[in-house]
């Protein structure tokens, strides 16, 4: 079972995850972080930036791999995940830009970009801690329902609900690209620690399916049940459809503090 932690809000989640990442970096100064984009992890990145500043953590050796990228956005587009990762993660945390990779969504080279990305993750020794959000459709990364649980980084077609959800970042809904390049579910499962974050009622169904439903490609988030070290951190609203909530709270309340998340 994944560990499930209910927190007051995304700031409390951010503090927990920042703690885990700071202790990882102290143990391993060239730690490899798996970076989600979207709105969910933003408070976590801010909490982490604050911790790094306050505790004067040296992050110059920290490496990163984004989960995904749109295919076909012009280089430098502000909503490309390369731009988002630079703006929300690399700059505020003070990471070394060359050590943070994002899949290459250039249509000219995208055919082999997935294999190149897999090779880069392997060469880096794998991801130590992977931050994940989850879509309303249950996607993790951009692995939409039906994605193979063994999939690796490759091009996917976004579903209509995901394009509609992401339209808020673009001038018009038609501007949301149709294709993306995303780490596969198999890629994500190779990370050593998965931290899945979700906030708000709109995520409650996807979280219930991911944590308590059957493991199925129809609910890509359910793949986290296959991982030996998954931490799911949610607020009350995102937890509201979980059946075993009382037990998750009990387990968390009685967890030895030294274990962290
Ligand atoms: C982003 C990603 C997606 C998002 C998901 C939730 O890199 O891989 O799986 O985590 O679409 O998006 P938000 O956080 O905007 O609700």
């Amino acid at each position: 079972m994944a560990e499930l932690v209910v927190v007051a809000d995304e700031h409390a989640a951010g503090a927990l995850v920042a703690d885990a990442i700071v202790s990882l970096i102290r143990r391993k100064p060239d730690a490899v972080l798996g970076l989600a984009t979207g709105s969910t992890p933003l408070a976590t990145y801010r909490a982490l930036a604050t911790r790094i500043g306050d505790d004067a953590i040296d992050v110059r050796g920290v490496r990163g791999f984004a989960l995904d990228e749109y295919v076909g956005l012009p280089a430098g587009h502000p909503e490309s995940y390369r731009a988002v990762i630079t703006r929300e993660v690399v700059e505020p945390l003070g990471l070394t830009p060359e050590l943070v990779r994002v899949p290459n969504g250039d249509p000219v080279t995208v055919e082999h970009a997935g294999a190149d990305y897999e090779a880069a993750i392997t060469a880096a020794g794998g991801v130590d801690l992977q931050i994940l959000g989850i879509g309303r459709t249950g996607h993790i990364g951009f692995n939409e329902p039906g994605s193979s649980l063994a999939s690796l980084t490759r091009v996917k077609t976004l579903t209509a609900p995901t394009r509609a959800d992401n339209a808020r970042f673009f001038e018009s809904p038609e501007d949301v690209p149709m294709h993306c390049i995303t780490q596969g579910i198999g890629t994500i499962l190779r990370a050593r620690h998965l931290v899945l974050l979700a906030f708000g009622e709109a995520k409650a169904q996807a979280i219930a399916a991911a944590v308590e439903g059957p493991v199925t490609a129809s609910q890509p988030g359910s793949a986290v049940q296959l991982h030996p070290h998954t931490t799911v951190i949610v607020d009350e609203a995102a937890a509201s459809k979980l059946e075993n909530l009382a037990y998750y709270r009990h387990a968390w309340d009685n967890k030895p503090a030294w274990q962290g998340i």
Side-chain angles (χ1 to χ4, degrees), residues 36-41 67-68 81 133-135 139-142 168 203:
T37 48
S39 353
T40 304
L67 272 176
D68 38 24
Y81 284 170
I134 191 165
H139 68 224
I140 51 173
F142 273 141
R168 67 191 193 280
K203 301 293 174 71

Side-chain angles (χ1 to χ4, degrees), residues 79-133:
E79 293 310 325
S80 71
Y81 284 170
R82 162 56 74 190
V84 173
I85 288 285
T86 301
R87 195 165 65 230
E88 304 290 354
V89 183
V90 175
E91 290 174 353
L93 270 58
L95 302 184
T96 305
E98 306 79 61
L99 298 183
V100 179
R101 303 263 311 237
V102 178
N104 187 346
D106 181 345
V108 177
T109 51
V110 80
E111 210 176 314
H112 55 82
D116 292 350
Y117 206 62
E118 289 291 326
I121 295 174
T122 303
V127 170
D128 290 302
L129 186 149
Q130 175 66 57
I131 297 171
L132 295 169

Side-chain angles (χ1 to χ4, degrees), residues 6-59:
V6 184
V7 293
D9 56 24
E10 58 192 330
H11 304 291
L16 265 185
V17 182
D19 263 355
I21 294 178
V22 165
S23 64
L24 168 66
I25 297 170
R26 285 197 167 120
R27 284 195 312 276
K28 185 178 178 188
D30 63 346
V32 180
L33 302 179
L35 303 165
T37 48
S39 353
T40 304
L42 291 177
T44 291
Y45 295 140
R46 283 179 200 136
L48 184 56
T50 304
R51 275 295 301 280
I52 287 169
D54 288 353
D55 296 3
I57 309 289
D58 183 354
V59 295

